[in-house]
Amino acid sequence: MTGETLAAAKPNRDRKGRGIRLGEAVEAPRSQFTSADGWRIAYYADTSAGGRPLVLVHSINAAPSSYEVKPLFEHYRSQRTVYSLDLPGFGQSERRTAGYTPELFADVLKQFLEQVVGQPADVVALSLSAEFAARAIGTTPGSVASLALIAPTGFSKRVPPGPGFGRIVHPILKTPGLSQALFDLVASKRSIRHYLGQSFVGEPTREILDYAYATAHQPGARHAPLVFLSMQLFTPAASDRLYSKLTDLPVLAIADRDPYIDFERLDDFVARHPNWSRQRLAPNMGLPQWERLPETVAALDAFWSKSGG
């Protein structure tokens, strides 16, 4: 299916704002594959340029999708094969009521790399998806040539709550009536503008706000974000349990500032892992591909050049 503009995908909604027809995140063919657990996973691909594949992975929040990585997709599609997948529960992918775990997201990415991409790829992952990528690569040797992480989680001195916190909080968030009412507040236009705006130094574009609102108003849109809000998708001690195992491939962390996480442990981690490097693109607040695209592209190109890409 070829891309549609967001403008063509607006209205058609009920009085609570749900049921908006979701357009394509990028103007590229959209396909799908079925995971081993039967999840229907949507992805965009432009393979016309050939070359070593680039796989883009969006972040996790109330309203993420492949639209977050659109600037990178559009920039690189004329130079190399580019993929972007919508993770389970988001974008054009299946949105089940339950089943969202770090293992699920990592397994889907692993299967995508093996079944769809089929050759070593350069992977770029945003925020919490950096942890999923690290988990997937740790069990998929040879499927990834390099890994670039934009504003990765897992390097803060603040320790995320343990599994017990999520087991207590998530059932409360799932309470009938409360569940949708809470998500309606989180996914309102005002809330999306506020929280997404925190990730920009300047003002977010109208297009990214509109798409975030649209994807957050699809049937079942609340299920995965409510698991995220209960903190069950974070891996405690991710730097030791996930990132430290990535010793056989080049890794770049692009991290300056972020309103929701910090990177206090990142420099020390990089100093102890010679295959890792860090690039600051100041100022940015976690989405440099939107506000500092030339600098982001330059950092990635230099990284890939050094790593043989």
Side-chain angles (χ1 to χ4, degrees), residues 52 54-56 69 71-73 75-76 79-80 122-126 146-150 251-254 277 279 281 288-289 292-309:
R52 189 157 85 185
L54 170 62
V55 176
L56 306 172
V69 296
L72 294 174
F73 193 105
H75 176 82
Y76 283 110
Q79 304 175 30
R80 58 190 301 184
D122 295 317
V123 174
V124 177
L126 275 59
S146 73
L147 177 62
L149 310 175
I150 297 179
V251 183
L252 168 68
I254 298 177
S277 58
Q279 178 75 51
L281 302 178
Q289 71 274 18
R292 302 182 67 84
L293 180 61
E295 295 89 341
T296 305
V297 165
L300 290 172
D301 288 346
F303 168 62
W304 291 325
S305 176
K306 290 180 181 178
S307 60

Side-chain angles (χ1 to χ4, degrees), residues 176-253:
L178 174 63
S179 175
Q180 188 63 58
L182 174 62
F183 187 70
D184 284 346
L185 290 175
V186 173
S188 69
K189 287 186 176 181
R190 176 177 293 183
S191 181
I192 286 175
R193 174 174 287 278
H194 171 74
Y195 287 106
L196 188 55
Q198 297 298 304
S199 296
F200 283 76
V201 176
E203 291 294 322
T205 67
R206 175 63 182 273
E207 290 76 15
I208 194 173
L209 291 171
D210 284 348
Y211 200 88
Y213 182 81
T215 194
H217 287 79
Q218 301 305 300
R222 72 184 186 278
H223 301 307
L226 290 179
V227 179
F228 165 72
L229 290 174
S230 68
M231 305 297 288
Q232 295 182 83
L233 299 182
F234 293 84
T235 298
S239 61
D240 293 328
R241 294 175 61 185
L242 301 177
Y243 297 131
S244 64
K245 297 179 180 180
L246 305 181
T247 58
D248 296 327
L249 79 164
V251 183
L252 168 68

Side-chain angles (χ1 to χ4, degrees), residues 41-288:
I41 305 300
Y43 66 92
Y44 300 90
D46 188 333
T47 61
S48 59
R52 189 157 85 185
L54 170 62
V55 176
L56 306 172
V57 189
H58 65 74
S59 71
I60 303 294
N61 51 65
S65 70
S66 288
Y67 203 91
E68 289 183 343
V69 296
K70 180 176 182 177
L72 294 174
F73 193 105
E74 297 296 343
H75 176 82
Y76 283 110
R77 66 188 303 177
S78 64
Q79 304 175 30
R80 58 190 301 184
T81 291
V82 184
Y83 296 94
S84 178
L85 73 162
D86 285 337
L87 293 173
F90 301 106
Q92 300 282 3
S93 289
E94 184 178 355
R95 304 185 188 223
R96 296 185 185 178
T97 58
Y100 302 100
T101 65
E103 292 79 11
L104 167 70
F105 292 107
D107 286 346
V108 164
L109 178 56
K110 173 184 175 181
Q111 292 169 42
F112 180 78
L113 290 168
E114 293 176 337
Q115 298 177 25
V116 178
V117 180
Q119 59 179 298
D122 295 317
V123 174
V124 177
L126 275 59
S127 195
L128 179 55
S129 290
E131 295 185 22
F132 306 150
R135 184 184 293 270
I137 294 167
T139 60
T140 315
S143 66
V144 174
S146 73
L147 177 62
L149 310 175
I150 297 179
T153 59
F155 294 102
S156 174
K157 289 183 178 180
R158 294 175 289 176
V159 179
F165 176 84
R167 286 194 293 266
I168 294 172
V169 172
H170 191 231
I172 298 174
L173 297 180
K174 289 177 61 180
T175 302
L178 174 63
S179 175
Q180 188 63 58
L182 174 62
F183 187 70
D184 284 346
L185 290 175
V186 173
S188 69
K189 287 186 176 181
R190 176 177 293 183
S191 181
I192 286 175
R193 174 174 287 278
H194 171 74
Y195 287 106
L196 188 55
Q198 297 298 304
S199 296
F200 283 76
V201 176
E203 291 294 322
T205 67
R206 175 63 182 273
E207 290 76 15
I208 194 173
L209 291 171
D210 284 348
Y211 200 88
Y213 182 81
T215 194
H217 287 79
Q218 301 305 300
R222 72 184 186 278
H223 301 307
L226 290 179
V227 179
F228 165 72
L229 290 174
S230 68
M231 305 297 288
Q232 295 182 83
L233 299 182
F234 293 84
T235 298
S239 61
D240 293 328
R241 294 175 61 185
L242 301 177
Y243 297 131
S244 64
K245 297 179 180 180
L246 305 181
T247 58
D248 296 327
L249 79 164
V251 183
L252 168 68
I254 298 177
D256 182 30
R257 292 184 298 155
D258 190 287
Y260 306 111
I261 57 174
D262 63 61
F263 312 105
E264 292 176 306
R265 298 182 183 273
L266 180 55
D267 283 338
D268 178 65
F269 182 91
V270 169
R272 292 184 286 108
H273 295 81
N275 61 311
W276 281 66
S277 58
R278 177 181 182 176
Q279 178 75 51
R280 290 179 172 86
L281 302 178
N284 84 82
M285 298 298 290
L287 292 174

